[in-house]
mmCIF file of all heavy atoms in Angstrom:
data_model
loop_
_atom_site.group_PDB
_atom_site.id
_atom_site.type_symbol
_atom_site.label_atom_id
_atom_site.label_comp_id
_atom_site.label_asym_id
_atom_site.label_seq_id
_atom_site.Cartn_x
_atom_site.Cartn_y
_atom_site.Cartn_z
ATOM 1 N N ALA A 255 -13.277 9.656 6.456
ATOM 2 C CA ALA A 255 -13.853 10.242 7.670
ATOM 3 C C ALA A 255 -12.833 10.213 8.805
ATOM 4 O O ALA A 255 -12.707 11.192 9.569
ATOM 5 C CB ALA A 255 -15.117 9.486 8.070
ATOM 6 N N ALA A 256 -12.089 9.101 8.925
ATOM 7 C CA ALA A 256 -11.052 9.010 9.959
ATOM 8 C C ALA A 256 -9.936 10.010 9.677
ATOM 9 O O ALA A 256 -9.423 10.668 10.597
ATOM 10 C CB ALA A 256 -10.493 7.587 10.018
ATOM 11 N N PHE A 257 -9.556 10.136 8.417
ATOM 12 C CA PHE A 257 -8.548 11.122 8.015
ATOM 13 C C PHE A 257 -8.998 12.537 8.369
ATOM 14 O O PHE A 257 -8.226 13.348 8.886
ATOM 15 C CB PHE A 257 -8.306 10.989 6.503
ATOM 16 C CG PHE A 257 -7.713 12.207 5.852
ATOM 17 C CD1 PHE A 257 -6.357 12.459 5.948
ATOM 18 C CD2 PHE A 257 -8.507 13.097 5.138
ATOM 19 C CE1 PHE A 257 -5.788 13.580 5.339
ATOM 20 C CE2 PHE A 257 -7.963 14.210 4.533
ATOM 21 C CZ PHE A 257 -6.592 14.459 4.635
ATOM 22 N N ASP A 258 -10.252 12.825 8.098
ATOM 23 C CA ASP A 258 -10.777 14.171 8.298
ATOM 24 C C ASP A 258 -10.826 14.562 9.777
ATOM 25 O O ASP A 258 -10.855 15.753 10.106
ATOM 26 C CB ASP A 258 -12.178 14.267 7.685
ATOM 27 C CG ASP A 258 -12.526 15.679 7.249
ATOM 28 O OD1 ASP A 258 -11.621 16.392 6.794
ATOM 29 O OD2 ASP A 258 -13.700 16.054 7.370
ATOM 30 N N ARG A 259 -10.843 13.579 10.665
ATOM 31 C CA ARG A 259 -10.867 13.871 12.110
ATOM 32 C C ARG A 259 -9.488 14.197 12.665
ATOM 33 O O ARG A 259 -9.380 14.671 13.798
ATOM 34 C CB ARG A 259 -11.491 12.699 12.873
ATOM 35 C CG ARG A 259 -13.011 12.606 12.709
ATOM 36 C CD ARG A 259 -13.620 11.609 13.669
ATOM 37 N NE ARG A 259 -13.378 10.227 13.267
ATOM 38 C CZ ARG A 259 -14.173 9.524 12.456
ATOM 39 N NH1 ARG A 259 -15.263 10.098 11.944
ATOM 40 N NH2 ARG A 259 -13.906 8.275 12.157
ATOM 41 N N LEU A 260 -8.442 13.932 11.889
ATOM 42 C CA LEU A 260 -7.091 14.263 12.330
ATOM 43 C C LEU A 260 -6.749 15.690 11.912
ATOM 44 O O LEU A 260 -7.146 16.132 10.832
ATOM 45 C CB LEU A 260 -6.079 13.285 11.717
ATOM 46 C CG LEU A 260 -6.169 11.828 12.195
ATOM 47 C CD1 LEU A 260 -5.302 10.935 11.310
ATOM 48 C CD2 LEU A 260 -5.751 11.714 13.659
ATOM 49 N N PRO A 261 -6.000 16.430 12.736
ATOM 50 C CA PRO A 261 -5.678 17.829 12.413
ATOM 51 C C PRO A 261 -4.532 17.928 11.405
ATOM 52 O O PRO A 261 -3.419 18.358 11.733
ATOM 53 C CB PRO A 261 -5.285 18.412 13.780
ATOM 54 C CG PRO A 261 -4.675 17.256 14.512
ATOM 55 C CD PRO A 261 -5.467 16.049 14.069
ATOM 56 N N LEU A 262 -4.801 17.562 10.172
ATOM 57 C CA LEU A 262 -3.770 17.543 9.139
ATOM 58 C C LEU A 262 -3.931 18.771 8.245
ATOM 59 O O LEU A 262 -4.929 18.896 7.536
ATOM 60 C CB LEU A 262 -3.869 16.261 8.316
ATOM 61 C CG LEU A 262 -3.809 14.951 9.113
ATOM 62 C CD1 LEU A 262 -3.969 13.750 8.181
ATOM 63 C CD2 LEU A 262 -2.508 14.851 9.891
ATOM 64 N N VAL A 263 -2.950 19.640 8.277
ATOM 65 C CA VAL A 263 -3.002 20.874 7.491
ATOM 66 C C VAL A 263 -1.926 20.863 6.412
ATOM 67 O O VAL A 263 -2.204 21.059 5.230
ATOM 68 C CB VAL A 263 -2.841 22.110 8.401
ATOM 69 C CG1 VAL A 263 -2.829 23.387 7.565
ATOM 70 C CG2 VAL A 263 -3.964 22.159 9.437
ATOM 71 N N GLN A 264 -0.683 20.616 6.819
ATOM 72 C CA GLN A 264 0.411 20.563 5.856
ATOM 73 C C GLN A 264 0.169 19.441 4.841
ATOM 74 O O GLN A 264 -0.185 18.320 5.222
ATOM 75 C CB GLN A 264 1.734 20.308 6.591
ATOM 76 C CG GLN A 264 2.946 20.205 5.675
ATOM 77 C CD GLN A 264 4.231 20.025 6.460
ATOM 78 O OE1 GLN A 264 4.825 20.993 6.930
ATOM 79 N NE2 GLN A 264 4.663 18.782 6.612
ATOM 80 N N ASP A 265 0.350 19.759 3.581
ATOM 81 C CA ASP A 265 0.181 18.789 2.483
ATOM 82 C C ASP A 265 -1.231 18.213 2.404
ATOM 83 O O ASP A 265 -1.439 17.138 1.828
ATOM 84 C CB ASP A 265 1.194 17.645 2.597
ATOM 85 C CG ASP A 265 2.637 18.135 2.530
ATOM 86 O OD1 ASP A 265 2.917 19.004 1.687
ATOM 87 O OD2 ASP A 265 3.474 17.660 3.317
ATOM 88 N N ALA A 266 -2.202 18.942 2.943
ATOM 89 C CA ALA A 266 -3.582 18.446 2.925
ATOM 90 C C ALA A 266 -4.088 18.236 1.503
ATOM 91 O O ALA A 266 -4.834 17.290 1.229
ATOM 92 C CB ALA A 266 -4.499 19.417 3.676
#
Side-chain angles (χ1 to χ4, degrees):
F257 159 80
D258 207 35
R259 286 191 285 271
L260 293 169
L262 305 178
V263 177
Q264 179 177 276
D265 300 318

